[in-house]
Amino acid sequence: MKAADSLARRARWRWPEIVFWLLALAAIAAPAGKHLILNEIAILALFALSLDLILGYAGIISLGHAAFFGFGAYAAGLICKYATADPVLGLLLAMLLSAMLGLLTSLLVLRGSDLTRLMVTLGMALVLHEIANALPQWTGGADGLQGMAVGPLLGRFDFDLFGRTAYGYSIVTLFVLFVLARRIVKSPFGVSLMAIRRNSLRASALGVPVNRRLIAVYALGAAYAGAAGALLAQTTAYVSLDVLEFNRSADVLLTLIIGGTGWLYGGIVGAFVFKVLQDLLSSGAPQFWLFWLGLFLVVLALVGRDRLHGLVRRAMP
Amino acid sequence: MSAVLETRALAKSFGGLLATRDVTFSLEKGARQALIGPNGAGKTTFVNLLTGVLPPSSGQVFLAGEDITSLRPEARVRRGLVRTFQINQLFADLTPIETLALAVGERLGQGKEWWRRLGAAEPMAREVDEVAARFGLGDVLDMRTDTLPYGKQRLLEIAVAFACAPQVLLLDEPAAGVPEAERRDILDAIAALPADVSVLLIEHDMDLVFSFAKRISVLVDGGLLVEGEPSAIAADPRVRAVYLGESGHG
Amino acid sequence: MATILFDGVAYGMLLFVLACGLAVTLGLMNFVNLAHGAFAMAGGYTTVLLMDRLNVPFLACLPAAFVLSAVLGLLLERTLYRHMYGRSHLDQVLFSIGLVFMAVAATDYFLGSSQRNIHLPPWLQGRVEVLGVAIGLYRAFIIVLCGVLALGLQLALMRTRFGSRLRAAVDDARVARGLGIPVGTIFAVTFAVGSGLAGLGGALGTELLGIDPYFPLKFMIYFLIVVTVGGTSGIAGPFLASLLLGIADVAGKYYLSSALGGFVIYVVMIVVLVLRPQGLFARAR
């Protein structure tokens, strides 16, 4: 049974991964002070992970991934205000709703070239932005959605000012969803996605139902993005229109690109680098950050992404 | 009726151009048949019509007596109509084992299983081993596909199609571009295909065609010019006229 | 009603001049250049600065805006863009977003983030009444100027030697090179002219649209709509799409709220792209 062994080896956890997650989870207990930014990193990482499922594994370019992030954020906000204050229940409901939105809109990105997909996803996010803006009685419009009273986590842990509970909540959510995503990409379903991304015609010649797989992974990515949005809404008790803005879609794309696509850890590495650099560079003038980010992208695109990432990737699966 | 694959009055036009005209064709069960024709004769279009990549302008395709004209490519594959590709269209950065596991898994209906690890199902892993052994790929299973010698890549191409459990196998120039030293392996692998798999070989290389095929169909200008035994085809003056000036060893 | 139509046409014409460079780079050369608006911004700021600081008359600013943006385009094409032609769309997106970010940040840093406007010369201000329709003089000026430009471009593309060489180069760069056509030079010149036109559009649009460092991002989607909805087989499609978009935008904002107007435009764009991925006015294949 050579094949069985070899396939089992392919999915095994390596020690750098285990060390990483132990550290990330241990950081919940670290001395107060950095939890707020760690929370932001965890949320961005989850958002980038959701894009990796769509772009890195299924090859669908999106310039409007904030649509699902923002939808999840508003969903979680409204659920908290009008349905239940329990964060975990709210998170699950927001994910479910985002998945349904993903399911519906997946039909729009099935066909077409990269360019069409890029425009359609961009348009989707803009449409949602306009809707949120036009319904201030629900979303608070430009003032943002206020008055969320998020209940204690699991009925026991109140969200504190220093963000310890928030980080714990986000990192555990990220971990659980990561393990699930890891299982999914190592499954037969996951391999069929990898095949579709590389050559969808060839994949269908092996009997892979390409469209159904794309719909499924798009809905999954939408659910993950919705979860990230919901985490942001719940841990900050506030949702503003910028959850749907183009900059957020661009940022998450850049985050993923910095970390590398198609290996799940790309989003996490990218989120860490992105947030830490943003923190350092925008302490001077905010324009500095944008400028260096732009320069980095230009250089990265000119030099080629693969060359840079080949180095990092060898250590992880 | 022993025809396993049949077309009736199959036609395809692009704009005003007729790429396939009125092709009525059949492949017997267990056949070793070749489809030949000069460049631009419409072989690629014909294969795309058979596999469902292109919809025909008119006419029908039957597999084992069932009309499959309106089925999508992947549905045809699941019914056992499988092709190989001429130029390399393998998944470059996947390993042969991943590619084979994908093909076997899809056939066993495991492709939508997201909850368990690829290879966790034992019958599938066993079958991957069998296919790999049959095509001499056992020692390269864990290498990236694009790092394999070209001959091995062509073998993988056929192995992947074989893993889909074909009733009908369309081999599109299986040995094109393979160095002489590795060519033998491919011819052997083709010759060793089980007798119940019906094979249609689409090929330029006349040596290969005449050593393999029991029956030959000649496609010219999108239409079937003539069909028959190799000796009859070789003697046919119309075929000679078409191929005159084509490759020297034809 | 007629005034809205008129304003819409003027806006659409302006959009066309802003976006027609992209119609060539994206539509014909298949290069996703999200930074196209940065060249328009360069033209807009050229005009603002020349008028404010050096008291250059408005009409003289227009050619200056064209030339400066064209030179900028030429420099960037020769140094950076040409390395990105054959790359994946994702790489092109990253590259050009990076350029936009740098342009936005640098403009913000050196020129401030507030919106800038210009004072038009008196003879372009005000409205006249023609057949009961109030017509803005400046908008009439834009329509005439942009109309002439559009016509000239169409003729240049279809009738001149340069046009046929460009079309050959776009069709198959390798074959064109084999025929002795200097593909690199042609692309560079085309890119420069496209950037120059965007700069001219930016200069003309400063009065109507206002200009600030985020201009390239705010109007990016509009330029992309013009090109993708218009179709990629020439500039007639993008021209019609510009007019439609301009009229729809002005009318939408007037009859609906500004948020709903945007909503309608984006929904229409999505529907068009899903039903006709080749664009509304592309020849059926």
Side-chain angles (χ1 to χ4, degrees):
Chain A
M1 293 298 285
K2 277 191 64 164
D5 296 342
S6 166
L7 287 170
R9 206 159 41 235
R10 180 178 171 273
R12 201 165 290 154
W13 286 80
R14 323 250 167 114
W15 67 264
E17 293 183 84
I18 298 170
V19 170
F20 166 77
W21 284 109
L22 286 177
L23 283 176
L25 292 169
I28 303 172
K34 289 289 178 201
H35 284 117
L36 286 173
I37 188 167
L38 283 176
N39 182 44
E40 285 181 37
I41 292 174
I43 291 172
L44 182 59
L46 180 56
F47 189 23
L49 171 64
S50 79
L51 184 62
D52 200 14
L53 287 172
I54 291 177
L55 175 65
Y57 284 90
I60 302 174
I61 292 193
S62 172
L63 259 190
H65 204 48
F68 302 115
F69 183 89
F71 184 81
Y74 276 112
L78 292 171
I79 289 167
C80 174
K81 278 181 81 166
Y82 300 109
T84 170
D86 182 68
V88 177
L89 197 55
L91 176 72
L92 291 175
L93 282 172
M95 281 182 74
L96 188 67
L97 291 170
S98 306
M100 283 160 64
L101 181 69
L103 212 54
L104 284 176
T105 54
S106 66
L107 301 174
L108 304 175
V109 296
L110 279 185
R111 294 194 310 147
S113 59
D114 282 353
L115 182 62
T116 336
R117 285 171 162 176
L118 208 133
M119 292 289 297
V120 168
T121 50
L122 182 60
M124 273 290 309
L126 288 165
V127 164
L128 284 190
H129 187 271
E130 301 293 339
I131 292 178
N133 193 20
L135 296 174
Q137 64 275 32
W138 286 98
T139 63
D143 297 331
L145 182 73
Q146 288 160 348
M148 285 172 64
V150 186
L153 187 61
L154 304 174
R156 289 183 57 188
F157 307 101
D158 279 308
F159 285 94
D160 55 299
L161 271 180
F162 308 103
R164 189 187 298 274
T165 311
Y167 174 67
Y169 179 35
S170 296
I171 195 70
V172 170
T173 307
L174 174 63
F175 178 64
V176 170
L177 290 179
F178 180 89
V179 171
L180 183 65
R182 194 180 184 286
R183 177 37 75 95
I184 291 173
V185 302
K186 303 282 183 193
S187 74
F189 175 79
V191 180
S192 73
L193 291 178
M194 291 162 72
I196 289 170
R197 192 194 105 181
R198 281 154 187 88
N199 187 341
S200 65
L201 182 67
R202 187 70 174 98
S204 71
L206 294 183
V208 179
V210 173
N211 283 353
R212 260 184 283 159
R213 297 286 155 79
L214 288 181
I215 290 172
V217 75
Y218 200 69
L220 181 73
Y224 271 51
L231 286 179
L232 181 72
Q234 292 174 339
T235 56
T236 58
Y238 176 69
V239 185
S240 71
L241 272 179
D242 70 21
V243 292
L244 285 166
E245 262 167 16
F246 172 75
N247 283 18
R248 196 173 289 273
S249 296
D251 282 354
V252 72
L253 182 60
L254 311 189
T255 302
L256 178 61
I257 294 302
I258 291 172
T261 57
W263 67 299
L264 293 187
Y265 283 97
I268 298 173
V269 172
F272 194 80
V273 174
F274 188 92
K275 279 288 174 191
V276 168
L277 285 181
Q278 187 180 32
D279 206 40
L280 283 176
L281 289 172
S282 38
S283 51
Q287 302 96 331
F288 285 163
W289 160 240
L290 201 58
F291 185 84
W292 290 114
L293 183 63
L295 185 64
F296 173 77
L297 281 172
V298 170
V299 172
L300 185 69
L302 282 172
V303 173
R305 288 177 284 134
D306 296 345
R307 276 189 231 172
L308 190 76
H309 292 131
L311 301 171
V312 192
R313 219 177 275 192
R314 302 223 166 90
M316 297 279 218
Chain B
M1 202 175 69
S2 63
V4 63
L5 179 69
E6 249 188 297
T7 69
R8 291 193 197 145
L10 200 63
K12 176 73 185 176
S13 60
F14 297 102
L17 189 78
L18 263 176
T20 302
R21 52 183 91 211
D22 245 0
V23 176
T24 297
F25 163 91
S26 77
L27 190 74
E28 302 294 308
K29 186 153 180 54
R32 293 291 181 269
Q33 192 162 332
L35 180 71
I36 63 172
N39 276 326
K43 297 190 296 279
T44 305
T45 307
F46 184 63
V47 170
N48 283 337
L49 292 174
L50 289 180
T51 53
V53 173
L54 292 173
S57 307
S58 63
Q60 292 151 300
V61 183
F62 296 84
L63 183 68
E66 265 183 276
D67 188 346
I68 57 165
T69 315
S70 58
L71 290 187
R72 298 183 51 79
E74 60 263 24
R76 298 184 192 206
V77 173
R78 280 197 295 274
R79 286 173 186 232
L81 175 58
V82 187
R83 70 167 296 186
T84 66
F85 285 81
Q86 189 184 130
I87 35 173
N88 232 326
Q89 302 236 29
L90 291 162
F91 308 111
D93 58 342
L94 265 53
T95 59
I97 195 171
E98 287 170 327
T99 314
L100 288 173
L102 171 69
V104 174
E106 287 296 338
R107 179 165 54 78
L108 298 177
Q110 297 166 351
K112 57 184 176 300
E113 293 181 355
W114 53 267
W115 58 89
R116 65 170 163 187
R117 180 174 62 69
L118 178 71
E122 208 175 89
M124 188 259 251
R126 197 175 313 122
E127 203 173 319
V128 169
D129 278 330
E130 283 166 17
V131 175
R134 175 178 200 110
F135 290 91
L137 294 166
D139 48 343
V140 294
L141 277 180
D142 288 320
M143 290 165 70
R144 270 174 61 122
T145 298
D146 56 358
T147 62
L148 301 182
Y150 196 65
K152 290 281 184 200
Q153 295 191 26
R154 299 304 299 169
L155 278 173
L156 177 60
E157 178 73 49
I158 303 167
V160 167
F162 184 77
C164 297
Q167 294 189 60
V168 175
L169 186 57
L170 310 176
L171 294 173
D172 196 352
E173 300 198 19
V178 177
E180 204 50 46
E182 298 171 78
R183 209 176 137 83
R184 195 67 247 163
D185 295 339
I186 294 174
L187 302 189
D188 289 347
I190 296 174
L193 287 169
D196 60 339
V197 176
S198 318
V199 182
L200 180 65
L201 175 73
I202 298 105
E203 188 51 84
H204 265 303
D205 181 336
M206 291 302 148
D207 292 341
L208 180 50
V209 167
F210 281 92
S211 70
F212 170 81
K214 307 273 190 307
R215 189 176 168 80
I216 297 176
S217 308
V218 185
L219 199 67
V220 175
D221 283 339
L224 272 184
L225 180 71
V226 59
E227 281 186 304
E229 311 241 315
S231 52
I233 295 294
D236 192 298
R238 288 169 300 173
V239 177
R240 288 181 161 266
V242 167
Y243 273 92
L244 209 67
E246 278 265 312
S247 60
H249 66 280
Chain C
M1 171 65 198
T3 308
I4 289 167
L5 192 65
F6 180 79
D7 286 0
V9 171
Y11 185 31
M13 292 280 217
L14 182 61
L15 278 179
F16 173 73
V17 171
L18 279 164
C20 64
L22 190 66
V24 176
T25 42
L26 174 57
L28 297 179
M29 288 152 69
N30 197 21
F31 184 93
V32 182
N33 181 18
L34 299 184
H36 186 72
F39 298 101
M41 178 169 76
Y45 272 106
T46 306
T47 310
V48 168
L49 293 178
L50 283 178
M51 288 182 76
D52 272 9
R53 306 241 165 118
L54 302 172
N55 287 320
V56 177
F58 177 66
L59 278 188
C61 291
L62 297 181
F66 176 87
V67 171
L68 191 110
S69 307
V71 170
L72 193 64
L74 189 66
L75 281 177
L76 286 176
E77 202 277 345
R78 285 291 84 186
T79 51
L80 301 177
Y81 274 93
R82 68 193 182 96
H83 300 294
M84 300 299 299
Y85 283 146
R87 304 285 279 279
S88 73
H89 277 162
L90 180 58
D91 280 327
Q92 295 172 353
V93 163
L94 296 172
F95 168 79
S96 55
I97 286 189
L99 280 186
V100 173
F101 282 0
M102 289 169 74
V104 167
T107 310
D108 193 350
Y109 184 76
F110 289 111
L111 298 169
S113 61
S114 58
Q115 185 162 34
R116 306 288 281 268
N117 285 299
I118 52 169
H119 294 288
L120 289 174
W123 59 273
L124 280 174
Q125 290 175 11
R127 289 170 176 267
V128 289
E129 192 111 342
V130 178
L131 303 172
V133 180
I135 289 200
L137 281 174
Y138 185 58
R139 287 184 168 80
F141 173 73
I142 285 183
I143 291 181
V144 172
L145 188 61
C146 296
V148 170
L149 276 173
L151 208 63
L153 275 178
Q154 176 70 11
L155 288 177
L157 267 180
M158 303 317 282
R159 296 283 166 79
T160 63
R161 204 163 99 93
F162 184 84
S164 56
R165 289 174 145 211
L166 172 64
R167 280 177 288 132
V170 165
D171 236 26
D172 191 329
R174 231 168 29 140
V175 171
R177 265 190 210 104
L179 294 172
I181 296 175
V183 173
T185 314
I186 294 216
F187 280 177
V189 170
T190 308
F191 195 91
V193 172
S195 308
L197 285 170
L200 178 62
L204 287 170
T206 305
E207 166 70 12
L208 292 183
L209 313 173
I211 194 129
D212 65 58
Y214 283 88
F215 183 91
L217 282 175
K218 272 198 289 192
F219 286 90
M220 181 181 83
I221 180 73
Y222 274 44
F223 302 155
L224 288 170
I225 290 178
V226 165
V227 179
T228 50
V229 170
T232 52
S233 54
I235 60 168
F239 182 72
L240 289 176
S242 306
L243 286 187
L244 273 185
L245 179 60
I247 293 167
D249 195 53
V250 172
K253 280 181 180 148
Y254 184 81
Y255 289 112
L256 309 164
S257 70
S258 95
L260 274 181
F263 173 79
V264 171
I265 285 176
Y266 302 138
V267 169
V268 168
M269 173 197 86
I270 292 175
V271 171
V272 167
L273 286 178
V274 168
L275 296 182
R276 299 212 44 176
Q278 300 292 332
L280 203 50
F281 305 106
R283 276 160 286 162
R285 290 180 184 223

